[in-house]
Amino acid sequence: MAPESPTYDIVIVGAGPVGLLLSVCLARWGYNIKHIDNRPTPTATGRADGIQPRSLDLLRNMKLKRHIMEYEPARVYEVAFWDPRKSGTGIHRTGTWASCPKFLDARHPFTTLLHQGMIERVFIRDLEENRTAVQRPWKITGFQSGIKDTIYPVQVTYEHVDTKEKETVRAKYLFSGEGARSFVREQLGVKMIHKDPIAHVWGVMDGVVRTNFPDIKKMKCTIHSDHGSIMIIPRENNLVRLYIQVASSTDKNWNPRQQATTEEVQASAKKILQPYWIEWDRVEWYSVYPIGQGIAEKYTLDHRVFLGGDACHTHSPKAGQGMNTAFLDAQNLAWKVHHVESGFADRSILESYESERKLIAENLLNFDAKYAALFSQRQPSAGEVGAASQQADASEESNEFVELFKASCEFTSGYGVAYGPNVLNWSSEHPARSNLFHPKGTTLRAGRIMLNANVTRVADANVVHLEQEIPVNGSFRIYLFAGVPTITKQAVADFSNNLLKKYSFYKVFERDDIDKVSYHEQHNPHSHFFTICTIFAAPRPSIEIPDMLPELLARYSAHVYADDIEDARKPRVRAVAHTKMGLDQRRGGVVVVRPDGYVGCVVQLVEGDGTVDALNDYFGSFTSKPVGKLTTQAQL
C-alpha cells in the first residue's frame, strides 16, 4: 500500500514579494506551509525596488520596517521633471513635486528604494523564526483541485530543478506567486487580457555612476529630451537605476522584441542627459523588457487555487506599483483564509479576494497605461518646432504628464486603494436595518484605509500612532471612540454589557482557553478575532482606567488612549483623532477596521443595545455561526 501524501494547509509557489508576504502572515498565525521556488537562491540583484508609503506602514505594522531600514535604503521625497531647453541645447529642470504630498498625511512621506533581494531576505528570516522554509530549487509540475478528500482537496506535484526528484502533497489551498509566466494560471486555462498592445521597449540598468547631473542621488527624475526619455531612481549603496526607452511603436523599424546592449543603452543615456556627462564605474544588473498591461480574467476558479502578484496583473515598473500591489494581494488573501480556516468566517468571504484585488489591479493598469504612454512620448524641444502653436502644443503635452503624476499621488502612494461595497465593507448605501451605521459627518469610508491619528497611551503617557497600535495579528480592530467620559459613561457601560451577552459576536467567538490566557496578553485576551481600543476625548491625567471603564474594556489597558494631541493640520481643534474621523467629539462612535487596516463599518455610539446590535448585524453577515438576534431567533 502506497504511503499517504504529506498534508499542508497551503502550498505556495514562488518566493517573490507576494508569495513571501503571504507565507509570513500564515506562518505567524500557525499554519503548516509548503513553500517552493524554482530559483536556487533569493534575488541577487535587480527586479522590484520601490516600497511606497502605504506599504511601509504595513511593514511597520508587521514589525519588519526596522529590518528593511537596516539596509540603509534610499529615500525619495521629491520627483524632478526635466525637459528640453527652448534653445535646443540640452535639458533643464522644469519643476519638482513631492513624492507623497502633505495632503496625504502620510507617516512616511517618501518612497523607500532598495533591491528586491534585500526585501526577500527580511521575509525569509521571519519565516525561519516561525519554523517555515522555502524549498529550493523546486518547480511545480502538476496539480489537481477537487479531489475527494474534503479536508485537503488540492493535490500538488513538484520536482527538483536539477535532480528531477518528485514529491506529491495534498493541501487545503494552492497559491501561485510565480510571476507573469505562471504555470498554475496556464494549467487553469485562465487568460491574460492585455489592455493595450506593446508599444514601448525599455532597458533598465542598475549601476554605480559618476556624473555632474545634479539630481542623480537626491530624487527620482523623469527626463524628456530631444534624444528620448529616461527615468533615474536613486538606490542603496550608491547605486542608481536608469529606465531608458529602447524602441517605440512609432519607430520606422518597430520590433516589440527589440534588444539593446549595455553599451548601446549607456550611449543613449549620455545623449539624453546632455549637457551633463555620465560614466559607469560598474553595472550590477541590466535587462530589456517590453511594456504591456495585462490582467487575468480570473484570480481563482474554485476558491482553493488562487493567483496573486504578477501571475494575475502585469504593467510597467516605472510607477513603482508591482511589488506594492503584490503585498496587498497577499495580505488581503491571508487574513481571509485565516478567518475561514480558524472557523470564524463563512467560506464565501474568499469570493471577495478576486472582486477587491482585481478592481485595484484594473485601476492600476488604467493609470499605468496613461503614465507609461505619456512618459514614453518623445517631447519635442522648441528648437525643433517651427511654429509657435507647435511650441504651445509641446508645452501642453509636457504638462499633461506632470499633471497626471500630481493627480495620481494618492493612488501611487498606496493610500488611494478603495474597495467597493460588499459583505465586509458597509458603506452609507448598505441596506442595513440599523440607522446607526455611517453616522452623519464621518469622514471615514468603508473599504478605505483608516486615517492616521496621534494619541496618548494612558498606561505610559507615550504619544503613539493609533493606527499602528494593533499589529497584523489577524484580528478585527474595534476602535471605541468614547468621547467625553461624563457624557458617554452610560453608553460605554452598555457597549461593554452587550458585548458580554451570550449571543453577541464577541461572546460567540470567545477564546476556548480564556481561563488560561496569560495576564500579559495585550491584544487578544478574550477572542482571537477582535482587539479593542478605547479613545477618550479627554486629557490623559484625567483618565483613570479602573474607574472609567468596565472590566471587559479595562482588560485592554494597553489599548486605552487620550485624544489630547494637537495637530498643526487641525489648529484650535480639541480631540483631533475624533475630529479627523468625523465623529462627534462629545459622543464618539465605533469604528470597525478589518485585519488588513481597511474600514469595515462606522457605527454611532448610543446608550442601550443599539450599537452592539448593529455590530452583530455586520459581523453576522459573514461569520460561520449566527450571532445576535439571528442566534436568539434560532433558539426559539
Side-chain angles (χ1 to χ4, degrees), residues 238 303 406 420 489:
N238 293 318
H303 306 106
K406 292 180 179 180
K489 182 177 181 180

Side-chain angles (χ1 to χ4, degrees), residues 6 27 45 52 66 77 89 110 142 146 174 207 243 287 343 400 405 429 439 453 469 476 491 527 552 571 573 610 622:
T45 56
Q52 300 296 354
R66 175 171 56 87
Y77 289 87
T89 56
F110 52 84
L174 169 63
Y243 289 106
S287 180
E400 187 180 357
F405 180 89
E429 289 77 33
E469 281 291 274
F476 275 87
S527 173
L552 181 147
V573 170
F622 57 83

Side-chain angles (χ1 to χ4, degrees), residues 44-290:
T45 56
R47 299 204 181 189
D49 64 355
I51 303 176
Q52 300 296 354
R54 163 63 187 131
S55 296
L56 205 58
D57 289 344
L58 168 60
L59 294 173
R60 179 185 169 198
N61 205 213
M62 295 179 72
K63 312 302 181 187
L64 296 176
K65 172 181 171 253
R66 175 171 56 87
H67 301 301
I68 295 289
M69 291 304 179
E70 286 173 357
Y71 286 108
E72 299 183 353
R75 302 184 186 190
V76 170
Y77 289 87
E78 276 194 333
V79 177
F81 302 97
W82 289 72
D83 290 291
R85 292 181 181 275
K86 291 182 179 181
S87 62
T89 56
I91 58 172
H92 68 137
R93 189 193 303 116
T94 53
T96 61
W97 186 257
S99 294
C100 191
K102 290 183 178 180
F103 71 83
L104 293 178
D105 194 18
R107 295 294 188 190
H108 310 101
F110 52 84
T111 301
T112 305
L113 294 151
L114 72 169
H115 87 67
Q116 180 176 316
M118 294 176 172
I119 300 166
E120 290 177 7
R121 288 180 203 127
V122 170
F123 289 146
I124 291 168
R125 199 179 313 140
D126 194 85
L127 283 176
E128 291 170 348
E129 291 174 1
N130 289 283
R131 295 179 294 179
T132 302
V134 179
Q135 189 172 325
R136 305 174 185 270
W138 290 73
K139 66 178 183 179
I140 185 170
T141 57
F143 66 92
Q144 183 181 355
S145 181
I147 59 177
K148 291 183 179 180
D149 188 328
T150 56
I151 300 176
Y152 301 98
V154 184
Q155 182 169 288
V156 184
T157 302
Y158 45 93
E159 71 174 21
H160 193 280
V161 171
D162 300 321
T163 67
K164 306 305 178 184
E165 176 188 355
K166 290 184 179 291
E167 291 184 4
T168 298
V169 300
R170 296 200 318 279
K172 296 176 182 177
Y173 300 93
L174 169 63
F175 179 80
S176 167
E178 306 160 89
R181 298 173 181 172
S182 167
F183 171 86
V184 173
R185 188 189 68 236
E186 291 177 358
Q187 294 299 303
L188 289 173
V190 173
K191 296 179 180 178
M192 289 291 285
I193 300 172
H194 293 282
K195 296 281 187 177
D196 294 298
I198 295 169
H200 309 284
V201 176
W202 282 77
V204 56
M205 181 183 298
D206 290 344
V208 176
V209 303
R210 287 173 288 118
T211 179
N212 65 343
F213 181 72
D215 294 340
I216 195 74
K217 293 182 180 178
K218 295 187 298 183
M219 59 186 77
K220 176 180 175 181
C221 301
T222 63
I223 302 168
H224 296 110
S225 83
D226 296 342
H227 302 287
S229 301
I230 190 171
M231 180 177 286
I232 297 177
I233 299 175
R235 288 270 305 278
E236 78 286 352
N237 297 328
N238 293 318
L239 287 170
V240 173
R241 171 165 288 188
L242 276 69
Y243 289 106
I244 305 168
Q245 185 172 310
V246 172
S248 169
S249 55
T250 58
D251 296 343
K252 291 181 179 179
N253 299 317
W254 162 243
N255 176 6
R257 302 302 174 191
Q258 179 80 32
Q259 292 295 312
T261 66
T262 302
E263 292 74 20
E264 288 171 337
V265 167
Q266 289 176 342
S268 294
K270 290 178 180 181
K271 288 182 179 179
I272 292 170
L273 287 175
Q274 290 176 358
Y276 303 99
W277 59 266
I278 183 170
E279 298 292 342
W280 276 260
D281 286 349
R282 75 171 193 273
V283 173
E284 184 170 288
W285 181 71
Y286 172 68
S287 180
V288 174
Y289 63 91

Side-chain angles (χ1 to χ4, degrees), residues 286-306:
Y286 172 68
S287 180
V288 174
Y289 63 91
I291 292 177
Q293 287 84 21
I295 188 167
E297 283 184 312
K298 300 287 293 181
Y299 283 23
T300 180
L301 297 183
D302 61 357
H303 306 106
R304 288 288 184 177
V305 180
F306 291 91

Side-chain angles (χ1 to χ4, degrees), residues 498-509:
N498 281 286
L499 288 181
L500 288 171
K501 286 184 177 179
K502 184 176 181 180
Y503 301 120
S504 80
F505 70 92
Y506 193 80
K507 194 69 174 177
V508 168
F509 290 98

